[in-house]
Amino acid sequence: MTISDKTAVEAVEPGIIGKGRWIERWEPENDLFWEARGKSIAFRNLVFSIVAEHIGFSVWLLWSIVVVRMYGTFDESGALVTAGAGGWALTAGQGFTLLAVASGVGAFLRIPYTFAVPIFGGRNWTVISALLLLIPTLGLAWVVQHPDTSFGVLVAIAATAGFGGGNFASSMSNISFFYPDKEKGWALGLNAAGGNIGVAVAQKLVPLVIGIGALGLSAAGLVYVPLAVAAAILAFLFMDNLREAKADPKPTAASLQHGHTWLMAFLYIGTFGSFIGYSAAFPTLLTVVFERADIALSWGFLGALIGSLSRPYGGKLADRVGGAIITVAAFVVMAIAGVTAVIGVQHESLALFFVSFMVLFAATGIGNGSTYRMIPSIFGRIQKAKGEDTDESRLDFKRQAAGAVGIISAVGAFGGFAIPFIYKIAKEQTGTIVPALQIYVVVFLAMAVITWVFYLRKGAAMRNV
C-alpha cells in the first residue's frame, strides 16, 4: 500500500468512543476503508447478530414441535381416547391456534423492533432482545407442567414466543447498515439464514431434550435459557453500534410513503410468510393429516432446514442476475409444489406430500433471499429518480431502506399467522387441508404475475431490481 493510500484509509477509519462501543463514522462504499478495516468489523457484527437471531428464531418456533406431543386422540364422537404428554389433550384446532398466535405476535413485534435499532443502537438492542427471550422460555417450562391450565392462559404464554420473532427485523435492519450495496444480498441472506435455521435446530433438538431426564416438555424451554443469556453476553462483548444507524426514526416512517414498500411487503408474505407458516405447521400436518407423529418429531425439521440453507443463495443469485427474476421463478416453483402436495393428500401419499413440501421450502428460501435483495435496489432507484445525488440524500434513502426492511419483514411474517388459521378452518369445515393448499397455489401465481408486472416487465420503472 502506498503512503497516499495509507493516508486515505486512515482518513476513513471508524472512531470507537465511549463505553457503549459507538462507531462514529462508517463508510462501507469506500473501497479503501472497506478492505482495510470495514469488512472485518462488519463480519464480526454479522457473526454475533446471527447467533442472537438464531436463538430468537428457535424460541419463536418452540411451540411448533411441543404441541405435537400435546395432542390427544379422540374417537368419532369427540371423546378423548388417549391424552398426550404431560396429561395434555389438545385438539388439532387448538394446536393450530397456538401456532398462529405465536407467529402473529412475532410478526407484530417486528414493527417496534425495527424502530428499536435507531433508538437504542444495534448492539444495545441485540443484548436487550436476547434477554427478553427468558420470558417465553421460562413461561413454556412452567405451563407445560400444569395440564389443568386454561387454554386462554396457554395461548397467552405461547404468544410471548413472539419475542423471538421480533429479533429478525432489528437484526436485518442493523446489518443492512454495515455492508456495501454490492454485498448486501449475500450478507443479509447469511444473517437471515442463520436465524431461519434456528427453526430447524429447535425442531430437531426439542424432541431429543424432551426425552432426556425427568423434565419432559419443560426441557424444551429450559434448554434455551442459558443460550439466550449467552447470546446477550456475546452481543455485549463483540458487537458495535453505528452512529449513522442511531438516527431519527423518521426515515423509517418516510419509507411507508413509498408504494413499493407495501408492494414488497405483500410479496414477502408469499416468501417468508410461507416459510414461517409452513415451518410452524408442517410437524402438525404430518401428525394430523397422516397420523405420523413419529415422522413429525424425527423429520419435521427438514423443511425449515432446507428453506434456511437456500435463503443466502437466493440473495446471491439476485446479486448476479437481479432479484425480480429470481422472485418470479420462486413463486412459480412454489405453485407447482403446492399442486403436487394437493395430489399427495388426495392420494394419501405421504412420500409425495413430503417431497413436495421440501421443494416448497427450498423455493421459499430462494424467494426470501431475492425479495430482500430487491429492497435496497428499489430505494436506490427512488433516490436517483429524485435527482438528489448528495451524501445526505444517499444516507437518508439508505436509512429508509433499512427501515423498510423491518416493516416489510413484519408484514410478511403475518403469513405465519394466516397459514395455520387457514389450515385450521379448512380442516374443521371440510375435513381436509386440500382447500387451504389450493388457496396457496392461487396466491403464489398471483404474486408471480405482480412481480413480473412491476419489476420485470419491459418498461417497468423498477425493472430488474
Side-chain angles (χ1 to χ4, degrees):
M1 180 180 293
T2 66
I3 294 178
S4 61
D5 286 343
K6 183 178 180 180
T7 302
V9 171
E10 291 174 347
V12 292
E13 284 274 345
I16 302 177
I17 63 172
K19 297 180 180 180
R21 294 183 63 102
W22 285 97
I23 295 179
E24 291 299 300
R25 187 169 64 251
W26 187 255
E27 301 179 10
E29 301 299 340
N30 183 315
D31 291 337
L32 288 174
F33 160 70
W34 180 249
E35 294 298 329
R37 192 177 181 190
K39 182 184 293 185
S40 62
I41 294 175
F43 183 72
R44 170 165 49 79
N45 279 271
L46 174 62
V47 168
F48 293 103
S49 174
I50 288 173
V51 171
E53 189 187 345
H54 176 91
I55 302 303
F57 257 93
S58 300
V59 171
W60 192 19
L61 270 293
L62 275 180
W63 287 93
S64 70
I65 204 70
V66 170
V67 296
V68 172
R69 299 292 297 271
M70 297 170 70
Y71 288 121
T73 55
F74 303 85
D75 60 23
E76 293 182 358
S77 66
L80 178 65
V81 176
T82 307
W88 289 92
L90 297 182
T91 64
Q94 289 176 322
F96 280 127
T97 299
L98 290 175
L99 300 177
V101 169
S103 295
V105 171
F108 175 78
L109 286 179
R110 288 185 170 196
I111 298 174
Y113 272 53
T114 295
F115 285 92
V117 171
I119 294 172
F120 297 99
R123 173 249 195 185
N124 294 347
W125 183 250
T126 302
V127 173
I128 295 170
S129 61
L131 292 176
L132 285 174
L133 298 178
L134 297 178
I135 297 174
T137 51
L138 293 174
L140 185 152
W142 174 81
V143 76
V144 294
Q145 299 178 50
H146 300 83
D148 56 338
T149 302
S150 69
F151 185 65
V153 172
L154 186 63
V155 169
I157 291 176
T160 66
F163 284 126
N167 285 6
F168 179 85
S170 54
S171 178
M172 294 293 277
S173 178
N174 183 45
I175 291 302
S176 70
F177 279 98
F178 277 94
Y179 279 83
D181 287 342
K182 64 182 179 181
E183 296 188 29
K184 269 187 171 60
W186 180 243
L188 291 176
L190 283 176
N191 191 52
N196 292 173
I197 206 171
V199 179
V201 171
Q203 291 180 340
K204 184 62 178 177
L205 177 64
V206 168
L208 297 177
V209 299
I210 287 175
I212 299 175
L215 292 175
L217 293 177
S218 292
L222 294 176
V223 72
Y224 278 99
V225 170
L227 295 177
V229 173
I233 293 173
L234 290 171
F236 180 82
L237 293 176
F238 298 110
M239 290 185 70
D240 303 294
N241 299 303
L242 294 182
R243 186 64 67 184
E244 74 171 45
K246 191 182 186 308
D248 190 329
K250 289 181 181 178
T252 299
S255 71
L256 304 182
Q257 300 174 13
H258 303 294
H260 289 287
T261 297
W262 298 107
L263 184 55
M264 290 304 301
F266 174 68
L267 297 179
Y268 200 57
I269 293 174
T271 55
F272 179 77
S274 296
F275 168 79
I276 201 65
Y278 290 143
S279 294
F282 189 52
T284 287
L285 293 179
L286 293 173
T287 303
V288 173
V289 178
F290 292 96
E291 299 182 351
R292 294 301 302 268
D294 57 329
I295 293 179
L297 294 171
S298 299
W299 297 103
F301 77 97
L302 197 56
L305 178 63
I306 290 174
S308 301
L309 294 178
S310 64
R311 179 162 188 159
Y313 292 98
K316 195 162 190 174
L317 286 170
D319 284 338
R320 291 182 178 180
V321 301
I325 190 170
I326 301 300
T327 301
V328 169
F331 281 134
V332 171
V333 172
M334 289 164 66
I336 294 172
V339 171
T340 57
V342 169
I343 297 173
V345 174
Q346 292 175 331
H347 290 79
E348 299 182 352
S349 173
L350 175 59
L352 180 58
F353 181 83
F354 196 95
V355 171
S356 296
F357 262 77
M358 295 306 102
V359 174
L360 185 59
F361 274 112
T364 63
I366 294 292
N368 283 338
S370 61
T371 49
Y372 247 65
R373 181 61 186 90
M374 291 169 67
I375 298 168
S377 297
I378 288 171
F379 276 84
R381 294 271 188 94
I382 294 174
Q383 185 255 325
K384 290 180 181 179
K386 288 183 174 293
E388 301 173 359
D389 196 23
T390 64
D391 290 341
E392 183 178 354
S393 176
R394 283 191 293 271
L395 179 57
D396 178 62
F397 276 92
K398 185 178 180 181
R399 288 169 172 165
Q400 287 190 39
V405 161
I407 299 300
I408 289 168
S409 74
V411 176
F414 276 106
F417 172 78
I419 284 175
F421 264 127
I422 294 174
Y423 278 132
K424 175 182 181 292
I425 294 170
K427 189 75 170 63
E428 291 178 346
Q429 297 295 322
T430 68
T432 177
I433 65 168
V434 168
L437 291 172
Q438 291 171 332
I439 290 172
Y440 302 147
V441 169
V442 173
V443 171
F444 294 150
L445 290 176
M447 289 180 170
V449 172
I450 290 172
T451 306
W452 177 81
V453 169
F454 286 93
Y455 301 113
L456 201 58
R457 175 180 55 86
K458 185 177 181 180
M462 296 289 170
R463 188 182 184 197
N464 293 328
V465 290

